[in-house]
Amino acid sequence: MRESPPVDVIVVGAGFAGMYAIHRFRELGLNVQVFEAGSDVGGTWYWNRYPGARCDVPSLEYSFGFSEELEQEWDWPEVFSAQPDILRYANHIADKFKLREHITFNTRVISVTWDEATRGWEITTDDNETHRAPFCVMATGCLSVPNKPGIPGADTFAGLELHTGLWPHEDVDLTGKRVGIIGTGSSGVQAIPELARQAETLHVFQRTPVYTVPANRKAMRDAVQQEFKDNYRAIRDMQQSNAGGVSNFRPVKSVQRAAADTDPGAIADVPPDGQPNFRGGNNNIKDLSPAERRQRVIERGLNELLNFRDVYTDPEANDIANELFRNAVRYMVKDPETAESLCPKDYGIGCKRQVLDRDYYDTFNRDNVTLVDLEQESIREITPTGVQVGDEHYDLDVLVYATGFDAMTGALLKANVSGRGGHTLNEKWEHGPVAYLGLQMQGFPNLFTVTGPGSPSVLCNMLVAIEQHVNWIGDAITYLRDNGLATMEPTAAAETEWVAHVNEVAEGTMYTAPSCNSWYLGANIPGKPRIFMPYVGGYPRYRERCEQVVANSYEGFQFT
Ligand code: NA7
């Protein structure tokens, strides 16, 4: 085992979190080393290259605010960006801020061990090297460990096997191929219309139907982009006080100008609420008559159902919206049996992360697309030549897994973290994640998690959440240095109190309804404890709590 010279901070992961950590920590005078399993920067956007991959937060909001120069020089081609554009943005940042010199690529961290003697972390990597630093920051992402379900025979498939979260870098030619896809979450829903356009035939193996609404697919208009750029300081402030870290800034001038030009597309150009805000406006669906509700959906589309406040708070209102949604699916999909299978019936709108699509339902009207409903009978086995469901065998050349991720805790638990006294994170989190503010765990001094469980993370605009966490961690390390302190970690009491608060705010929401099974709850991974992992109390409330903790001399933390 070779040993590299010690640094101040080791960061695991070179997605947006790891990238900003380099920039910020370097500004603070710290020596930073990052390890990244991939061959380049970008994290989620490096790995998820499947056709149709796209962000569900408007691009002008899903961007860093730490550099005005970056804000001004970068142009987004679409209102909601496709994966290649976001990856280009990540690469631009890496070049501009010279981040790559701090990153060791193609190197996976295989253990993270606290060493009491040196009061620091010993990190081993899969190239047989040991690295030491007093601080370690896990910037390992929330959706970075792909889930491949243990379906019998899975390893026997002789055709091409793909996972949306590990899509190859080179083009995959599906022309003339019989393709099957398992999974109809965001990844599946985004990929299915694209795969259907390329493949000879597409079989969609669906266990649970999804509530998906059309995404805004507009090209970015220069005037809108410019107005954002002119107002970015105010927009960043607005993000700080929005529950989902999205400003919802309305580019008034551009819209008025366009309206004057009688451009009918102008209003739709305005980014709609970002993903985290798809949880109701100010109106209630129950205030409308049945005829009015139907009329609204006809006039404004399925998205309108997401704009009612009571749909997210009142089960009766939720049922009304769910039924209107199903009726729309029955109308859009021509084959009645397929339409019925595509209608979610066992859970309501608001339980899972809202999925946005381009032509999803219409794809099932294509002659080359077949829905295989797994509700009655799940996949019995994967064979060398395809997929067996009940008595039916589906012959395939290509099998795509769009089966999601071991979300939020997966990457942290996979890193073999052991803290003081040799106690492991896996032991500590046996019954679900326990952390203070989603930033630190008791027993793991000087180890920080970026957007960890118990913080708003995936319920917030990730780039806003990342900046806030990395800034907080940088300030904490500076505090230790300035005060001649060696270590910090939460007290057991503070951690317990925070976890109780995280659970309390999630209780009674649609997210945790008994009928709801989502990756937020860990319900997609067999045996994973059912705990609502992100903090649902809203980003501003969370941020204020983090600030208050600092103002009270790091209340809830203990130091040596
Ligand atoms: P998701 O949302 O976890 O979706 C995974 C899909 O795979 C979902 O439809 C699952 O059905 C299905 N699945 C998983 N295991 C199986 C088996 N064994 N058989 C059949 N179907 C299965 O992951 P995504 O990648 O789509 O999206 C994750 C997030 O990434 C998304 O929310 C965005 O934030 C970006 P199930 O619903 O469990 O019955």
Side-chain angles (χ1 to χ4, degrees), residues 90-302:
N91 276 280
H92 172 72
I93 294 169
D95 294 340
K96 179 178 176 67
F97 298 102
K98 301 192 172 28
L99 303 181
R100 285 195 181 81
E101 59 202 58
H102 296 269
I103 308 171
T104 308
F105 291 108
N106 301 308
T107 305
R108 187 175 285 280
V109 167
I110 53 174
S111 72
V112 179
T113 311
W114 175 249
D115 179 16
E116 195 63 49
T118 57
R119 284 194 294 198
W121 288 94
E122 186 185 285
I123 276 91
T124 54
T125 42
D126 61 359
D127 55 355
N128 227 14
E129 285 225 27
T130 304
H131 316 268
R132 289 177 183 279
F135 299 98
C136 179
V137 175
M138 302 298 284
T140 41
C142 295
L143 296 159
S144 48
V145 176
N147 166 46
K148 186 181 165 193
I151 301 171
D155 294 335
T156 65
F157 184 62
L160 176 63
E161 180 190 302
L162 300 165
H163 193 295
T164 47
L166 295 169
W167 201 264
H169 288 214
E170 57 280 2
D171 278 348
V172 182
D173 186 7
L174 299 174
T175 322
K177 298 281 196 294
R178 297 163 302 173
V179 179
I181 181 167
I182 305 174
T184 51
S186 289
S187 305
V189 166
Q190 288 186 336
I192 285 162
E194 299 296 326
L195 300 179
R197 280 182 202 114
Q198 297 172 25
E200 175 78 22
T201 57
L202 180 70
H203 282 88
V204 177
F205 298 93
Q206 172 196 274
R207 187 163 69 181
T208 308
V210 61
Y211 292 99
T212 169
V213 300
N216 178 324
R217 50 207 290 174
K218 290 246 161 191
M220 184 71 75
R221 285 165 11 109
D222 291 346
V224 170
Q225 180 138 260
Q226 191 52 50
E227 201 167 336
F228 259 78
K229 289 187 180 185
D230 293 344
N231 291 281
Y232 249 136
R233 296 286 51 78
I235 289 167
R236 299 301 179 194
D237 283 347
M238 288 158 80
Q239 289 177 333
Q240 292 300 312
S241 50
N242 173 273
V246 180
S247 79
N248 291 321
F249 172 76
R250 292 286 180 261
V252 179
K253 280 194 221 140
S254 316
V255 171
Q256 283 172 347
R257 240 187 341 255
D261 294 345
T262 60
D263 173 354
I267 301 293
D269 255 349
V270 179
D273 294 350
Q275 164 73 32
N277 291 356
F278 271 137
R279 301 197 77 77
N282 292 321
N283 304 318
N284 288 328
I285 201 164
K286 281 167 82 177
D287 292 344
L288 302 180
S289 70
E292 285 170 331
R293 292 168 196 156
R294 270 198 308 278
Q295 195 55 30
R296 279 279 187 99
V297 176
I298 291 166
E299 279 170 14
R300 303 186 192 180
L302 269 181

Side-chain angles (χ1 to χ4, degrees), residues 44-45 48 50 54 56 143 147-151 163-165 182-190 205-210 275 347 352-355 374 378-379 401-405 407 458 517-520 523-525:
T44 288
W45 303 105
N48 286 269
Y50 60 87
R54 195 171 278 277
D56 56 10
L143 296 159
N147 166 46
K148 186 181 165 193
I151 301 171
H163 193 295
T164 47
I182 305 174
T184 51
S186 289
S187 305
V189 166
Q190 288 186 336
F205 298 93
Q206 172 196 274
R207 187 163 69 181
T208 308
V210 61
Q275 164 73 32
Y347 70 100
K352 302 188 191 221
R353 189 180 180 92
Q354 186 57 51
V355 177
L374 303 175
S378 54
I379 298 175
Y401 287 89
T403 44
F405 302 89
V458 289
N517 289 310
S518 68
W519 58 260
Y520 291 140
N524 61 326
I525 303 293

Side-chain angles (χ1 to χ4, degrees), residues 335-456:
D335 175 54
E337 203 183 318
T338 305
E340 215 44 46
S341 290
L342 285 166
C343 289
K345 298 191 182 84
D346 299 336
Y347 70 100
I349 290 171
C351 138
K352 302 188 191 221
R353 189 180 180 92
Q354 186 57 51
V355 177
L356 308 180
D357 72 84
R358 297 181 164 214
D359 308 329
Y360 182 65
Y361 292 111
D362 205 30
T363 298
F364 292 93
N365 294 328
R366 294 177 66 109
D367 291 340
N368 68 333
V369 176
T370 308
L371 183 74
V372 183
D373 189 343
L374 303 175
E375 204 205 340
Q376 302 301 331
E377 229 159 352
S378 54
I379 298 175
R380 188 194 293 169
E381 63 171 333
I382 311 262
T383 69
T385 54
V387 170
Q388 183 81 37
V389 180
D391 295 335
E392 195 83 38
H393 186 270
Y394 299 91
D395 291 339
L396 301 173
D397 304 308
V398 181
L399 179 57
V400 178
Y401 287 89
T403 44
F405 302 89
D406 186 353
M408 299 203 67
T409 53
L412 294 166
L413 293 175
K414 239 182 113 180
N416 294 313
V417 182
S418 60
R420 222 181 311 94
H423 297 296
T424 66
L425 189 61
N426 296 56
E427 287 161 1
K428 185 176 172 91
W429 285 8
E430 190 188 347
H431 303 294
V434 178
Y436 185 35
L437 300 169
L439 276 162
Q440 265 213 311
M441 287 80 69
Q442 193 255 331
F444 299 81
N446 292 3
L447 181 81
F448 297 91
T449 51
V450 183
T451 63
S455 75

